[in-house]
Amino acid sequence: MTSSSVLAEDGSKERTNLPEPVVINTVLFESVGKPPTASVDFGSVQPGHPNNFVVKLTNGLQRRISYSRIDSTCACQSFSPTKGSVAPGKILELAFSLNIPSHPRGQLQYGVAELMMASGQPAGRIEFKYSFPTYIGFKTDMLLAEHSESEKVVRVPISLNLGESVDVSNHQFLIDGIQIKRQLVAKNGFIEFAPQDLNAAHRRLDIQLVKSTDETSEPIDELSLVISRKNEIEISPKVVRLSLDGARKRLVGSCFIKAAASREMPSVAASFQLGQRSTTLKCSKLSKSIGKISFSLPPMNFGKYTGRSVVAQLHAVAGDNVIEQKIWIVFPRFNVPKESFQ
């Protein structure tokens, strides 16, 4: 069962110039919770044409391994011979062929080949991985970005996966099929567009990374970009942790309100609603552009929330800006008689 006999079956001229298969040695060992397992790293492979290997699998078990078929994770992967056996301490030579699309999704790939017995039970398994030296693609499938109406250009950073040797000169970004200004720098890039091109406060865009030639543009990868409009006034943090002020017998906590671009913070009024209860909050000015929203709540009114994290609606008015924002309120554990809040 040698690789040369397997590869010699096809005598066509197209295969005569293929490089010799790469030989890789591995050992099949007992594995906890799964069949006897061997690990193989095929290293960098080239997409778009066959990659051939010979896996020399040493049986490291104290028993003979016999199999009647090999199941793999992808039709682009094939092992042969598809049936055979190997005694303890002996070597089984398997020819592995990998023929993947020109533009794979993901830089590092993992796969599994199961050596199956006639009974349908696995006799052993080969776990393998490989990577692509010329791969380019997005690191995520979704991005969130904000813009303000005053911005003339919105720049959205994009993280890319690049292989060891990638020429990005003929790659571009498309939004809804329209080319947009972009730069690809090292392993990161960004796209730019004008806010006036967006006709809604909240919009989802589909971005494609394409490879362009003189004749065609071929999509390689895509992601979704959700754009929302910045508020001139921002509230943070989104989680307010209350503590029990024993001296005053109040639940206290705070969050902050900030004017964007260091503008003058107007007077602020705020309240929050939890269930059917709406409570006015105290607001104070800390600096020119930053204010503080203080929570000071009687425990008896909120005793049923002791030790819980709940979502409340925060309502704030700062000049002409109205902010509605959901926040998490984390209540401490405190003892309140049931009759005081029923």
Side-chain angles (χ1 to χ4, degrees), residues 172-188:
Q172 59 180 304
F173 294 123
L174 300 182
I175 286 186
D176 297 333
I178 302 173
Q179 182 176 354
I180 57 175
K181 185 176 180 181
R182 89 285 184 263
Q183 289 190 17
L184 299 176
V185 182
K187 291 190 176 182
N188 296 296

Side-chain angles (χ1 to χ4, degrees), residues 52-310:
N52 296 311
F53 302 86
V54 172
V55 177
K56 290 190 173 184
L57 180 66
T58 300
N59 182 2
L61 311 176
Q62 298 300 313
R63 64 183 185 277
R64 176 177 287 273
I65 292 294
S66 299
Y67 67 99
S68 60
R69 74 174 194 271
I70 300 180
D71 294 342
S72 192
T73 48
C74 178
C76 62
Q77 308 156 358
S78 64
F79 283 89
S80 62
T82 55
K83 59 182 178 180
S85 66
V86 56
K90 299 299 181 180
I91 296 176
L92 173 67
E93 289 194 9
L94 294 170
F96 175 67
S97 179
L98 178 62
N99 194 351
I100 53 178
S102 297
H103 298 293
R105 295 299 178 93
Q107 184 177 8
L108 186 62
Q109 301 287 317
Y110 297 89
V112 174
E114 299 273 7
L115 307 179
M116 305 298 294
M117 295 184 288
S119 63
Q121 296 297 314
R125 95 194 235 125
I126 302 172
E127 297 178 348
F128 55 90
K129 65 181 180 179
Y130 49 89
S131 60
F132 307 109
T134 57
Y135 174 77
I136 181 172
F138 299 123
K139 283 187 177 180
T140 180
D141 58 3
M142 185 174 184
L143 284 178
L144 301 176
E146 289 184 325
H147 75 89
S148 64
E149 294 181 353
S150 60
E151 291 179 283
K152 294 183 178 179
V153 175
V154 177
R155 176 178 291 188
V156 181
I158 292 178
S159 294
L160 299 171
N161 270 335
L162 297 182
E164 302 159 9
S165 54
V166 179
D167 178 13
V168 297
S169 59
N170 57 350
H171 291 76
Q172 59 180 304
F173 294 123
L174 300 182
I175 286 186
D176 297 333
I178 302 173
Q179 182 176 354
I180 57 175
K181 185 176 180 181
R182 89 285 184 263
Q183 289 190 17
L184 299 176
V185 182
K187 291 190 176 182
N188 296 296
F190 59 82
I191 60 173
E192 291 183 349
F193 54 89
Q196 57 264 31
D197 294 340
L198 304 176
N199 54 17
H202 196 90
R203 184 175 173 184
R204 176 171 173 167
L205 306 172
D206 292 322
I207 300 179
Q208 283 188 327
L209 176 65
V210 302
K211 182 176 182 180
S212 300
T213 64
D214 294 337
E215 302 170 354
T216 61
S217 292
E218 185 175 4
I220 295 175
D221 204 356
E222 62 185 12
L223 60 75
S224 294
L225 172 64
V226 177
I227 299 287
S228 58
R229 187 171 297 154
K230 278 183 185 176
N231 205 315
E232 294 298 323
I233 305 294
E234 298 180 354
I235 295 175
S236 66
K238 304 298 189 294
V239 178
V240 176
R241 298 182 181 275
L242 300 181
S243 60
L244 184 61
D245 184 339
R248 296 188 299 162
K249 298 182 179 180
R250 307 285 289 180
L251 295 171
V252 296
S254 63
C255 60
F256 299 92
I257 185 165
K258 180 179 182 299
S262 299
R263 295 182 180 179
E264 180 77 27
M265 171 65 70
S267 59
V268 178
S271 63
F272 83 101
Q273 184 162 346
L274 185 58
Q276 301 299 316
R277 183 184 298 278
S278 181
T279 303
T280 301
L281 302 174
K282 180 182 177 181
C283 301
S284 58
K285 195 169 183 178
L286 299 180
S287 67
K288 175 183 176 182
S289 58
I290 299 177
K292 182 178 181 180
I293 299 176
S294 299
F295 292 73
S296 180
L297 313 174
M300 67 177 63
N301 293 343
F302 299 93
K304 64 180 178 180
Y305 298 112
T306 176
R308 293 174 56 192
S309 299
V310 294

